[in-house]
Amino acid sequence: MSRRRLPLSLRRRAVPWAEQRPTWREARPALIAGALKRAQARPSGNWYVVGASRALRGDGKLARTVAGQEIVVWRGPDGRPVAGPGICPHLGAPLRDSPVRRGTLVCHWHGLALDGGPYAGWSPLPAHDDGVLVWVRLDAVGGEEPLDAPVVPPRPEPGRALTAVYTGVGVCEPEDVVANRLDPWHGAWLHPYSFVDLTVVDSPADPADPVDDGTDALTVDVSFKVAGRIVVPVRAVFTAPGPRTVVMRVCEGEGAGSVVETHATPLGTDGAGRPRTAVIEAVVAASDRPGFAAARRAAPLLRPLVRATAGRLWRDDLAYAERRWHLRSTGRFPG
């Protein structure tokens, strides 16, 4: 794709939604299932994404239930992330409702103070802040060989990037979220308000091949809609570096090097016993255009717009993931 003075193009052969080229023959169930199986076999080191790094600014904290375990994360007195059970060891107060004061979590029931060290049966959990996302390691949940740090995909340099994190929750399992992202063929059909002219130009050669040789990637040419027939064409590559993560990286076109990381974190079950999964998606956008510096300065205004765009897409994608889980759980999923 050639570099343009402006990143915009005009669709000259636009077709109505119902007249676009069908993609169902290319979206082979065995290909998607094979890519999913290989992703699930890759190590995570028992690390789970719990939220955005920005949530831990000042006396902020993150509270989430991961695989049925209440977790709370905050910054300790030295500024490093601290994580541990979200249940007060005294009488079981929900620490998600307790404030942080100068690096210490103070229980709002009786004032028990936790500075991140072990105390009265409360034991800290390994935590990691990669500058965009916060991770917690749960060895009892993951059951894998622990890693000292999570597998964080390469990203643009923070100093030249604009970041935003979206979080949504669906009734499904992490594999349903990952399967959705490993099916780029649905893009222009399910999201016609955002994507047009989508073509998968490269995919794994043998969907049944169990061998993971590092080439398990999906390359897509697609145009993002701006208004009417005005679009921004890019080439992007989808990879799954871990069992609960899919990364889309723009490799050609506007914003080359930008990434969208989708992380699926199991939460537990709802009142009806159905699994709930959080989608935590980090957009790390970069560009060498002179005007992008102004966009970074306007990040506080742009982040809500980026989250809103992601939310609109995930409204449909979570419906996809929830439908997939519903059919799987009732033995009706095709294939």
Side-chain angles (χ1 to χ4, degrees), residues 28 31 34-36 38-39 42 181-185 200-206 211-220 236-241 246-249 251:
R28 292 175 289 164
L31 191 155
L36 173 62
R38 290 187 292 275
R42 294 178 186 131
R181 300 299 281 161
L182 293 176
D183 169 20
W185 294 274
V200 177
V201 297
D202 191 27
S203 62
D206 185 357
V211 177
D212 186 353
D213 62 1
T215 62
D216 205 7
L218 292 154
T219 303
V220 176
V237 177
F238 290 78
T239 57
V246 178
V247 177
M248 185 201 76
R249 184 178 308 278
C251 58

Side-chain angles (χ1 to χ4, degrees), residues 260-279:
V260 177
E261 294 177 18
T262 304
H263 301 272
T265 299
L267 303 181
T269 56
D270 62 13
R274 303 176 303 175
R276 298 173 69 249
T277 294
V279 173

Side-chain angles (χ1 to χ4, degrees), residues 17-52:
W17 175 85
E19 296 177 17
Q20 64 182 320
R21 183 179 59 82
T23 57
W24 66 269
R25 290 182 179 85
E26 300 165 40
R28 292 175 289 164
L31 191 155
I32 297 168
L36 173 62
K37 185 175 181 179
R38 290 187 292 275
Q40 291 175 317
R42 294 178 186 131
S44 73
N46 303 324
W47 288 95
Y48 296 81
V49 174
V50 293

Side-chain angles (χ1 to χ4, degrees), residues 61 63-65 70-72 86 93-99 105 108:
K61 69 176 185 298
R64 190 172 298 283
T65 299
E70 294 180 49
I71 305 297
V72 64
L95 295 178
R96 67 170 56 243
D97 299 327
S98 298
L105 182 68
H108 65 295

Side-chain angles (χ1 to χ4, degrees), residues 99-116:
V100 176
R101 295 292 183 266
R102 295 184 295 277
T104 298
L105 182 68
V106 182
C107 178
H108 65 295
W109 277 15
H110 300 93
L112 187 149
L114 298 169
D115 63 5

Side-chain angles (χ1 to χ4, degrees), residues 37-243:
K37 185 175 181 179
R38 290 187 292 275
Q40 291 175 317
R42 294 178 186 131
S44 73
N46 303 324
W47 288 95
Y48 296 81
V49 174
V50 293
S53 299
R54 295 180 61 82
L56 301 188
R57 290 181 300 171
D59 287 341
K61 69 176 185 298
L62 281 164
R64 190 172 298 283
T65 299
V66 180
Q69 296 192 23
E70 294 180 49
I71 305 297
V72 64
V73 190
W74 73 98
R75 293 198 186 279
D78 60 0
R80 291 183 296 181
V82 173
I87 301 173
C88 180
H90 175 226
L91 285 174
L95 295 178
R96 67 170 56 243
D97 299 327
S98 298
V100 176
R101 295 292 183 266
R102 295 184 295 277
T104 298
L105 182 68
V106 182
C107 178
H108 65 295
W109 277 15
H110 300 93
L112 187 149
L114 298 169
D115 63 5
Y119 185 84
W122 188 94
S123 298
L125 296 164
H128 181 83
D129 179 2
D130 65 25
V132 178
L133 298 170
V134 176
W135 308 65
V136 172
R137 199 180 79 196
L138 299 172
D139 294 338
V141 173
E144 300 178 19
E145 185 69 25
L147 296 176
D148 291 337
V151 179
V152 179
R155 299 170 178 156
E157 296 177 11
R160 68 180 189 91
L162 185 153
T163 64
V165 178
Y166 162 82
T167 300
V169 176
V171 176
C172 60
E173 295 178 332
E175 75 162 75
D176 302 299
V177 173
V178 174
N180 168 269
R181 300 299 281 161
L182 293 176
D183 169 20
W185 294 274
H186 75 261
W189 286 98
L190 192 57
H191 311 296
Y193 47 83
S194 288
F195 305 125
V196 292
D197 304 330
L198 187 150
T199 302
V200 177
V201 297
D202 191 27
S203 62
D206 185 357
D209 188 353
V211 177
D212 186 353
D213 62 1
T215 62
D216 205 7
L218 292 154
T219 303
V220 176
D221 284 344
V222 64
S223 291
F224 296 91
K225 289 187 69 173
V226 177
R229 292 194 297 158
I230 301 175
V231 297
V232 178
V234 301
R235 172 166 288 185
V237 177
F238 290 78
T239 57

